[in-house]
Coordinates of all heavy atoms in Angstrom, one line a residue:
M466 N -20.3 23.5 -7.7 CA -20.3 22.7 -6.4 C -19.1 23.0 -5.7 O -18.0 23.4 -6.2 CB -20.4 21.2 -6.8 CG -19.3 20.7 -7.6 SD -19.2 19.0 -7.8 CE -20.7 18.8 -9.0
P467 N -19.2 22.9 -4.3 CA -17.9 23.2 -3.5 C -16.9 22.2 -3.8 O -17.1 21.0 -3.9 CB -18.4 23.2 -2.1 CG -19.7 22.4 -2.1 CD -20.3 22.6 -3.5
D468 N -15.6 22.6 -3.9 CA -14.5 21.8 -4.2 C -13.8 21.6 -2.9 O -12.9 22.3 -2.5 CB -13.6 22.4 -5.2 CG -12.6 21.4 -5.8 OD1 -12.8 20.2 -5.4 OD2 -11.7 21.9 -6.5
R469 N -14.2 20.5 -2.2 CA -13.6 20.3 -0.9 C -12.4 19.3 -1.0 O -12.6 18.4 -1.8 CB -14.6 19.7 0.1 CG -15.7 20.7 0.4 CD -16.6 20.1 1.5 NE -17.2 18.8 1.1 CZ -17.9 18.1 1.9 NH1 -18.2 18.5 3.2 NH2 -18.5 17.0 1.5
P470 N -11.4 19.5 -0.2 CA -10.3 18.4 -0.2 C -10.8 17.2 0.3 O -11.7 17.2 1.2 CB -9.2 19.0 0.6 CG -10.0 20.1 1.5 CD -11.1 20.6 0.8
P471 N -10.4 16.1 -0.2 CA -10.8 14.8 0.4 C -10.5 14.5 1.8 O -9.4 14.9 2.3 CB -10.0 13.8 -0.5 CG -8.9 14.5 -1.0 CD -9.3 15.9 -1.1
A472 N -11.4 14.1 2.6 CA -11.2 14.0 4.0 C -10.4 12.6 4.3 O -10.8 11.7 3.7 CB -12.6 13.9 4.8
A473 N -9.5 12.8 5.2 CA -8.7 11.5 5.5 C -9.6 10.6 6.2 O -10.4 11.0 7.1 CB -7.5 11.9 6.3
P474 N -9.6 9.3 5.9 CA -10.3 8.2 6.6 C -10.0 8.3 8.1 O -8.8 8.6 8.5 CB -10.0 6.9 6.1 CG -9.3 7.3 4.8 CD -8.7 8.7 4.9
P475 N -11.0 8.3 9.0 CA -10.7 8.3 10.4 C -9.8 7.3 10.9 O -9.9 6.1 10.5 CB -12.1 8.1 11.1 CG -12.9 7.5 10.0 CD -12.4 8.0 8.7
G476 N -8.8 7.7 11.7 CA -7.8 6.8 12.2 C -6.6 6.5 11.3 O -5.7 5.7 11.6
S477 N -6.6 6.9 10.0 CA -5.6 6.6 9.1 C -4.3 7.1 9.5 O -3.3 6.6 9.3 CB -6.0 7.0 7.7 OG -6.0 8.4 7.7
A478 N -4.3 8.3 10.1 CA -3.1 9.0 10.5 C -2.7 8.8 11.9 O -1.7 9.2 12.4 CB -3.1 10.5 10.1
T479 N -3.7 8.3 12.7 CA -3.5 8.3 14.1 C -3.3 6.8 14.6 O -3.5 6.5 15.8 CB -4.6 8.9 14.9 OG1 -5.9 8.3 14.4 CG2 -4.6 10.4 14.5
R480 N -3.1 5.9 13.6 CA -3.1 4.5 13.9 C -1.9 4.3 14.9 O -0.9 4.7 14.5 CB -2.9 3.6 12.8 CG -2.8 2.2 13.1 CD -2.5 1.4 11.8 NE -3.8 1.3 11.0 CZ -3.8 0.7 9.9 NH1 -2.8 0.3 9.3 NH2 -5.0 0.6 9.3
P481 N -2.1 3.6 16.1 CA -0.9 3.6 16.9 C 0.1 2.5 16.3 O -0.2 1.6 15.6 CB -1.5 2.9 18.2 CG -2.8 2.2 17.8 CD -3.3 3.2 16.5
E482 N 1.3 2.9 16.6 CA 2.4 2.1 16.1 C 2.5 0.8 16.8 O 2.5 0.7 18.0 CB 3.8 2.8 16.3 CG 3.9 4.1 15.5 CD 4.2 3.8 14.0 OE1 5.1 2.9 13.8 OE2 3.6 4.5 13.1
R483 N 2.3 -0.3 16.0 CA 2.3 -1.6 16.7 C 3.6 -2.2 16.4 O 4.1 -2.4 15.3 CB 1.2 -2.5 16.1 CG -0.2 -2.0 16.5 CD -1.3 -2.8 15.8 NE -1.2 -4.2 15.9 CZ -2.0 -5.0 15.3 NH1 -3.0 -4.5 14.6 NH2 -1.9 -6.3 15.5
A484 N 4.3 -2.6 17.5 CA 5.6 -3.2 17.4 C 5.4 -4.6 16.8 O 4.6 -5.4 17.3 CB 6.2 -3.4 18.8
Q485 N 6.1 -4.9 15.8 CA 6.0 -6.1 15.1 C 7.3 -6.9 15.4 O 8.3 -6.9 14.7 CB 5.9 -6.0 13.6 CG 4.5 -5.3 13.3 CD 4.4 -5.2 11.8 OE1 5.2 -5.4 11.0 NE2 3.1 -4.8 11.3
R486 N 7.3 -7.5 16.5 CA 8.4 -8.2 17.0 C 8.6 -9.5 16.1 O 7.8 -10.2 15.9 CB 8.3 -8.7 18.5 CG 8.4 -7.6 19.5 CD 8.1 -8.1 20.8 NE 8.2 -6.9 21.8 CZ 9.3 -6.8 22.6 NH1 10.3 -7.6 22.5 NH2 9.3 -5.8 23.5
G487 N 9.8 -9.6 15.7 CA 10.1 -10.8 14.8 C 9.7 -10.6 13.4 O 9.9 -11.6 12.7
A488 N 9.0 -9.5 13.1 CA 8.6 -9.3 11.7 C 9.8 -9.3 10.8 O 10.8 -8.8 11.1 CB 7.8 -8.1 11.6
R489 N 9.6 -9.9 9.6 CA 10.6 -10.1 8.6 C 10.2 -9.3 7.3 O 9.1 -9.2 7.0 CB 10.9 -11.5 8.3 CG 11.4 -12.3 9.5 CD 12.9 -12.1 9.7 NE 13.4 -12.7 11.0 CZ 14.7 -12.9 11.1 NH1 15.6 -12.6 10.3 NH2 15.1 -13.4 12.3
C490 N 11.3 -8.7 6.7 CA 11.0 -8.0 5.5 C 10.6 -9.1 4.4 O 11.2 -10.1 4.3 CB 12.3 -7.4 5.0 SG 12.3 -6.7 3.4
P491 N 9.4 -8.9 3.7 CA 8.9 -9.8 2.8 C 9.9 -9.8 1.6 O 9.6 -10.8 0.8 CB 7.5 -9.2 2.4 CG 7.6 -7.8 2.7 CD 8.6 -7.7 3.9
I492 N 10.8 -9.0 1.4 CA 11.5 -8.9 0.2 C 12.8 -9.8 0.5 O 13.2 -10.6 -0.4 CB 11.9 -7.5 -0.2 CG1 10.6 -6.6 -0.3 CG2 12.8 -7.4 -1.4 CD1 9.8 -7.3 -1.5
C493 N 13.5 -9.4 1.6 CA 14.8 -10.1 1.7 C 14.9 -10.9 3.0 O 15.8 -11.6 3.2 CB 16.0 -9.1 1.8 SG 15.9 -8.0 3.2
G494 N 13.9 -10.8 3.9 CA 13.8 -11.6 5.0 C 14.6 -11.1 6.2 O 14.7 -11.8 7.2
R495 N 15.2 -9.9 6.1 CA 15.8 -9.3 7.3 C 14.9 -8.7 8.2 O 13.7 -8.4 7.8 CB 16.9 -8.3 6.8 CG 18.0 -9.0 6.0 CD 19.2 -8.0 5.9 NE 18.8 -6.9 5.0 CZ 19.6 -5.8 4.7 NH1 20.7 -5.7 5.2 NH2 19.2 -4.9 3.9
P496 N 15.2 -8.6 9.5 CA 14.3 -8.0 10.4 C 13.8 -6.5 10.0 O 14.5 -5.8 9.4 CB 15.1 -7.8 11.8 CG 16.3 -8.8 11.6 CD 16.5 -8.9 10.1
V497 N 12.5 -6.4 10.2 CA 11.9 -5.1 9.8 C 12.4 -4.0 10.6 O 12.5 -4.0 11.9 CB 10.3 -5.2 9.9 CG1 9.6 -3.8 9.8 CG2 9.8 -6.2 8.9
V498 N 12.7 -2.8 10.0 CA 13.0 -1.6 10.7 C 11.7 -0.8 10.8 O 11.0 -0.6 9.7 CB 14.0 -0.8 9.8 CG1 14.2 0.6 10.5 CG2 15.3 -1.6 9.8
P499 N 11.3 -0.4 12.0 CA 10.0 0.3 12.1 C 9.8 1.4 11.2 O 8.7 1.7 10.7 CB 10.1 0.7 13.7 CG 10.9 -0.3 14.3 CD 12.0 -0.7 13.3
A500 N 10.9 2.2 10.9 CA 10.8 3.3 10.1 C 10.4 3.0 8.7 O 9.9 3.8 7.9 CB 12.1 4.1 10.2
H501 N 10.7 1.8 8.3 CA 10.5 1.3 6.9 C 9.5 0.2 6.9 O 9.4 -0.4 5.8 CB 11.8 1.0 6.3 CG 12.8 2.0 6.4 ND1 12.7 3.2 5.8 CD2 14.0 2.0 6.9 CE1 13.7 4.0 6.0 NE2 14.6 3.3 6.7
R502 N 8.8 -0.1 7.9 CA 8.0 -1.3 8.0 C 6.9 -1.2 6.8 O 6.5 0.0 6.6 CB 7.3 -1.6 9.3 CG 6.3 -0.4 9.7 CD 5.9 -0.6 11.1 NE 5.1 0.6 11.5 CZ 3.8 0.6 11.3 NH1 3.2 -0.5 10.8 NH2 3.1 1.7 11.6
P503 N 6.4 -2.2 6.2 CA 6.8 -3.6 6.6 C 8.1 -4.1 6.0 O 8.3 -5.4 5.9 CB 5.6 -4.4 6.1 CG 5.2 -3.7 4.9 CD 5.5 -2.2 5.1
F504 N 8.9 -3.2 5.6 CA 10.2 -3.6 5.0 C 11.3 -3.3 5.9 O 11.2 -2.6 6.9 CB 10.3 -2.9 3.6 CG 9.1 -3.1 2.8 CD1 8.2 -2.1 2.6 CD2 9.0 -4.3 2.2 CE1 7.1 -2.3 1.8 CE2 7.7 -4.6 1.3 CZ 6.9 -3.5 1.2
C505 N 12.5 -3.6 5.5 CA 13.7 -3.4 6.2 C 14.4 -2.1 5.8 O 15.3 -1.6 6.5 CB 14.6 -4.6 6.2 SG 15.5 -4.8 4.6
S506 N 14.1 -1.7 4.6 CA 14.8 -0.5 4.1 C 14.1 0.1 3.0 O 13.1 -0.6 2.4 CB 16.2 -1.0 3.6 OG 16.0 -1.8 2.5
P507 N 14.3 1.4 2.7 CA 13.7 2.0 1.5 C 13.9 1.2 0.2 O 13.1 1.2 -0.6 CB 14.4 3.4 1.4 CG 14.9 3.7 2.8 CD 15.3 2.3 3.4
R508 N 15.0 0.6 0.2 CA 15.3 -0.2 -1.1 C 14.3 -1.3 -1.3 O 13.8 -1.6 -2.3 CB 16.8 -0.8 -1.0 CG 17.2 -1.5 -2.2 CD 18.6 -1.9 -2.1 NE 19.0 -2.9 -3.1 CZ 18.8 -4.2 -2.9 NH1 18.3 -4.6 -1.8 NH2 19.0 -5.1 -3.8
C509 N 14.1 -2.1 -0.2 CA 13.1 -3.1 -0.3 C 11.8 -2.6 -0.6 O 10.9 -3.3 -1.2 CB 13.2 -4.0 1.0 SG 14.7 -5.1 1.0
R510 N 11.4 -1.5 0.0 CA 10.1 -0.9 -0.3 C 10.0 -0.6 -1.8 O 9.0 -0.8 -2.4 CB 10.0 0.5 0.4 CG 8.6 1.1 0.2 CD 8.6 2.4 1.0 NE 8.7 2.3 2.4 CZ 7.4 2.1 3.2 NH1 6.3 2.1 2.6 NH2 7.6 2.0 4.4
Q511 N 11.1 -0.1 -2.4 CA 11.1 0.2 -3.8 C 11.0 -1.1 -4.5 O 10.2 -1.2 -5.6 CB 12.4 0.8 -4.2 CG 12.4 2.3 -3.8 CD 11.3 3.1 -4.5 OE1 11.0 3.0 -5.7 NE2 10.6 3.9 -3.6
V512 N 11.6 -2.2 -4.1 CA 11.5 -3.5 -4.7 C 10.0 -4.0 -4.8 O 9.5 -4.5 -5.8 CB 12.4 -4.6 -4.1 CG1 12.2 -5.9 -4.7 CG2 13.9 -4.1 -4.3
D513 N 9.4 -3.8 -3.6 CA 8.1 -4.2 -3.5 C 7.2 -3.5 -4.4 O 6.2 -4.0 -5.2 CB 7.6 -4.1 -2.1 CG 6.2 -4.7 -1.9 OD1 6.1 -6.0 -2.0 OD2 5.3 -4.0 -1.7
L514 N 7.4 -2.1 -4.5 CA 6.6 -1.2 -5.4 C 6.8 -1.7 -6.9 O 5.8 -1.8 -7.6 CB 7.1 0.1 -5.2 CG 6.3 1.2 -6.0 CD1 4.8 1.3 -5.7 CD2 7.0 2.6 -5.9
G515 N 8.0 -2.1 -7.1 CA 8.3 -2.5 -8.5 C 7.5 -3.7 -8.8 O 6.9 -3.9 -10.0
H516 N 7.3 -4.6 -7.8 CA 6.5 -5.9 -8.1 C 5.1 -5.5 -8.5 O 4.5 -6.0 -9.3 CB 6.5 -6.7 -6.9 CG 7.7 -7.5 -6.6 ND1 8.0 -8.2 -5.4 CD2 8.9 -7.5 -7.4 CE1 9.2 -8.7 -5.5 NE2 9.8 -8.3 -6.6
W517 N 4.5 -4.5 -7.7 CA 3.2 -4.1 -8.0 C 3.1 -3.5 -9.4 O 2.2 -3.8 -10.1 CB 2.8 -3.1 -7.0 CG 2.3 -3.7 -5.7 CD1 3.1 -3.7 -4.5 CD2 1.2 -4.3 -5.3 NE1 2.5 -4.3 -3.5 CE2 1.3 -4.6 -3.9 CE3 -0.1 -4.5 -6.0 CZ2 0.2 -5.3 -3.3 CZ3 -1.0 -5.1 -5.3 CH2 -0.9 -5.6 -4.0
L518 N 4.0 -2.6 -9.7 CA 4.0 -1.9 -11.0 C 4.1 -2.9 -12.2 O 3.6 -2.6 -13.1 CB 5.1 -0.8 -11.0 CG 4.8 0.3 -10.0 CD1 5.9 1.3 -10.1 CD2 3.4 1.0 -10.2
T519 N 4.8 -3.9 -12.0 CA 5.1 -4.9 -13.1 C 4.1 -6.0 -13.1 O 4.2 -6.8 -14.0 CB 6.5 -5.4 -13.0 OG1 6.7 -6.1 -11.7 CG2 7.6 -4.4 -13.1
G520 N 3.1 -5.9 -12.2 CA 2.2 -6.9 -12.2 C 2.5 -8.3 -11.6 O 1.8 -9.3 -11.9
S521 N 3.6 -8.4 -10.9 CA 3.9 -9.7 -10.3 C 2.9 -10.1 -9.2 O 2.8 -11.2 -8.9 CB 5.4 -9.5 -9.6 OG 6.3 -9.3 -10.7
Y522 N 2.2 -9.0 -8.7 CA 1.3 -9.3 -7.6 C -0.1 -9.3 -8.2 O -0.4 -8.3 -9.0 CB 1.3 -8.4 -6.5 CG 2.6 -8.5 -5.6 CD1 2.9 -7.4 -4.6 CD2 3.4 -9.5 -5.8 CE1 4.0 -7.5 -3.9 CE2 4.5 -9.6 -5.0 CZ 4.9 -8.6 -4.1 OH 5.9 -8.8 -3.3
A523 N -0.9 -10.2 -8.0 CA -2.3 -10.2 -8.4 C -3.1 -9.5 -7.4 O -3.0 -9.6 -6.2 CB -2.9 -11.5 -8.6
I524 N -4.0 -8.5 -7.9 CA -4.8 -7.8 -6.9 C -6.2 -8.3 -7.1 O -6.9 -7.9 -8.1 CB -4.7 -6.3 -7.2 CG1 -3.3 -5.9 -7.2 CG2 -5.5 -5.5 -6.2 CD1 -3.1 -4.4 -7.6
P525 N -6.8 -9.0 -6.2 CA -8.1 -9.5 -6.2 C -9.0 -8.3 -6.0 O -8.9 -7.4 -5.2 CB -8.3 -10.4 -5.1 CG -7.2 -10.1 -4.1 CD -6.1 -9.6 -5.0
G526 N -10.1 -8.1 -6.8 CA -11.0 -7.1 -6.7 C -11.6 -6.7 -7.9 O -11.8 -7.6 -8.8
E527 N -12.1 -5.5 -8.1 CA -12.9 -5.2 -9.2 C -12.0 -5.2 -10.6 O -10.9 -4.7 -10.5 CB -13.4 -3.7 -9.2 CG -14.1 -3.4 -7.8 CD -14.4 -2.0 -7.8 OE1 -14.8 -1.4 -8.8 OE2 -14.4 -1.4 -6.7
P528 N -12.5 -5.9 -11.5 CA -11.8 -5.9 -12.8 C -11.8 -4.4 -13.4 O -12.8 -3.6 -13.2 CB -12.6 -6.7 -13.7 CG -14.0 -6.9 -13.0 CD -13.8 -6.6 -11.6
V529 N -10.7 -4.1 -13.9 CA -10.5 -2.8 -14.5 C -11.0 -2.7 -16.0 O -10.8 -3.6 -16.7 CB -9.0 -2.4 -14.5 CG1 -8.8 -1.0 -15.1 CG2 -8.5 -2.5 -13.1
G530 N -11.7 -1.7 -16.2 CA -12.0 -1.3 -17.5 C -13.4 -2.0 -17.9 O -13.8 -2.0 -19.2
E531 N -14.1 -2.6 -17.0 CA -15.4 -3.2 -17.3 C -16.6 -2.2 -17.5 O -17.5 -2.4 -18.0 CB -15.8 -4.2 -16.3 CG -14.8 -5.4 -16.3 CD -15.5 -6.7 -16.8 OE1 -16.6 -6.9 -16.3 OE2 -14.9 -7.5 -17.5
R532 N -16.3 -1.1 -16.7 CA -17.4 -0.1 -16.7 C -17.0 1.1 -17.5 O -15.9 1.6 -17.4 CB -17.6 0.4 -15.2 CG -18.2 -0.8 -14.3 CD -18.5 -0.2 -12.9 NE -19.5 0.8 -13.0 CZ -20.0 1.4 -11.9 NH1 -19.6 1.0 -10.7 NH2 -20.9 2.3 -12.0
D533 N -18.0 1.6 -18.2 CA -17.8 2.8 -19.0 C -18.1 4.0 -18.1 O -19.2 4.1 -17.7 CB -18.7 2.7 -20.2 CG -18.3 3.8 -21.3 OD1 -17.8 4.8 -20.7 OD2 -18.6 3.7 -22.4
P534 N -17.1 4.8 -17.8 CA -17.4 6.0 -17.0 C -18.6 6.9 -17.6 O -19.2 7.6 -16.9 CB -16.1 6.7 -16.9 CG -15.2 6.1 -18.0 CD -15.8 4.7 -18.3
D535 N -18.7 6.9 -18.8 CA -19.7 7.7 -19.4 C -21.2 7.2 -19.2 O -22.1 8.0 -19.2 CB -19.5 7.7 -21.0 CG -18.3 8.5 -21.3 OD1 -17.9 9.5 -20.6 OD2 -17.7 8.3 -22.4
L536 N -21.2 6.0 -18.7 CA -22.5 5.4 -18.5 C -22.9 5.5 -17.0 O -23.9 4.9 -16.6 CB -22.6 4.0 -18.9 CG -22.4 3.8 -20.5 CD1 -22.5 2.3 -20.9 CD2 -23.5 4.6 -21.2
E537 N -22.0 6.0 -16.2 CA -22.1 6.0 -14.8 C -23.4 6.8 -14.4 O -23.6 7.9 -14.9 CB -20.9 6.5 -14.1 CG -20.7 5.9 -12.7 CD -19.3 6.3 -12.2 OE1 -18.4 5.6 -12.7 OE2 -19.2 7.2 -11.4
D538 N -24.2 6.2 -13.6 CA -25.5 7.0 -13.2 C -25.6 6.9 -11.7 O -25.9 5.8 -11.2 CB -26.7 6.4 -13.9 CG -27.9 7.2 -13.7 OD1 -27.8 8.2 -12.9 OD2 -28.9 7.0 -14.2
Ligands
LIG938 ZN1 14.5 -6.2 3.1

């Protein structure tokens, strides 16, 4: 089968930058810097990523490990 690279979802890369006036960093509460939104700095981005990785955030959605990939049809 042809091995095509995954196509980017339409609009994912061309979404217009929306100014978030008054937006606050969810980590430290300081004003958001557009370059790092929705955070104020790369550091806060890392902190947020750490929350995800450590399971501090619950992710509603499909339960993991319920489906056996071998049985996929
Ligand atoms: Zn911050």
Side-chain angles (χ1 to χ4, degrees):
M466 62 177 68
D468 194 9
R469 295 186 302 173
S477 66
T479 56
R480 176 184 290 175
E482 294 285 319
R483 287 170 59 180
Q485 297 184 349
R486 289 171 179 264
R489 296 278 173 165
C490 173
I492 303 302
C493 70
R495 290 194 293 180
V497 166
V498 174
H501 302 300
R502 68 190 173 88
F504 307 104
C505 71
S506 67
R508 181 175 165 277
C509 283
R510 183 183 291 273
Q511 287 297 313
V512 171
D513 186 71
L514 180 64
H516 286 172
W517 283 99
L518 294 180
T519 56
S521 295
Y522 291 169
I524 307 176
E527 306 176 41
V529 178
E531 293 242 322
R532 295 184 60 176
D533 189 335
D535 289 333
L536 297 178
E537 210 165 280
D538 190 354

